[in-house]
Amino acid sequence: MNSPRLAARALILHDNRLLLVNAFPGEHDDLWCAPGGGVERNASLPDNLKREIHEETGLTIAVGTPCLINEFHNPDDRFHQVDIYFRCTITAGTLSDDWQDPEAVVTRRRFFCRNEMDALRFKPDSLPEVAWSTSGLSYDPLELLVKPSQPMKGGA
């Protein structure tokens, strides 16, 4: 069995709005998540996160403290990922519809108000509670991997 995949993700609140990304070309699916991605060997989690955020959004960030550990898996193919979320702040840049993810993974990026999250499909389920909380580190138990055609619990 392969080890779980490790990813770093950013919770970025700017003007009390949360930055989320969509990684489905052509608006194929409406699932949103916090920006970030898989870690590369021989680089720290914060360094990996800075690289991923710049690739996906064009923003430069300062990485703060961890605030959430989330696990998800697909028992059918034994896929298992552990996401570590960090509170982050923007230090340079602004979102632009013209920005192109060099890896062509993220196709849309946008800030959402807390009340907009109620009508939004997102993962993990605890995302808004953690993002707008001032508490310490949270842990989400193992969630099933959601495929684009599956119904979502979070927000919808």
Side-chain angles (χ1 to χ4, degrees):
M1 179 173 169
N2 293 335
S3 297
R5 180 179 189 262
L6 183 61
R9 298 201 177 273
L11 290 186
I12 301 171
L13 280 175
H14 182 71
D15 294 333
N16 205 32
R17 297 178 305 148
L18 179 64
L19 178 60
L20 298 177
V21 297
N22 179 279
F24 296 96
E27 299 186 19
H28 170 72
D29 196 81
D30 60 352
L31 178 63
W32 293 83
C33 64
V39 301
E40 295 177 354
R41 294 180 192 276
N42 302 315
S44 69
L45 292 174
D47 287 345
N48 273 287
L49 188 52
K50 289 175 187 178
R51 174 187 46 78
E52 285 285 342
I53 297 306
H54 190 266
E55 286 175 2
E56 294 179 0
T57 68
L59 300 173
T60 303
I61 61 166
V63 179
T65 60
C67 57
L68 173 65
I69 298 171
N70 172 260
E71 293 185 79
F72 61 94
H73 73 126
N74 181 357
D76 295 336
D77 66 6
R78 299 174 62 153
F79 178 81
H80 182 177
Q81 180 163 308
V82 177
D83 288 344
I84 301 175
Y85 290 73
F86 293 82
R87 294 196 187 282
C88 299
T89 55
I90 298 169
T91 59
T94 57
L95 287 189
S96 169
D97 290 337
D98 295 332
W99 181 260
Q100 297 290 320
D101 179 349
E103 294 185 3
V105 174
V106 168
T107 58
R108 294 180 285 161
R109 59 210 53 81
R110 186 178 151 210
F111 285 99
F112 291 91
C113 296
R114 175 61 184 97
N115 62 352
E116 290 177 298
M117 298 290 292
D118 294 337
L120 193 66
R121 286 177 18 117
F122 58 83
K123 276 297 181 183
D125 294 342
S126 66
L127 191 58
E129 289 77 21
V130 172
W132 277 276
S133 169
T134 58
S135 64
L137 186 64
S138 297
Y139 170 71
D140 273 339
L142 198 60
E143 293 183 21
L144 285 176
L145 176 67
V146 175
K147 297 178 183 173
S149 60
Q150 291 179 311
M152 303 285 304
K153 283 197 304 185

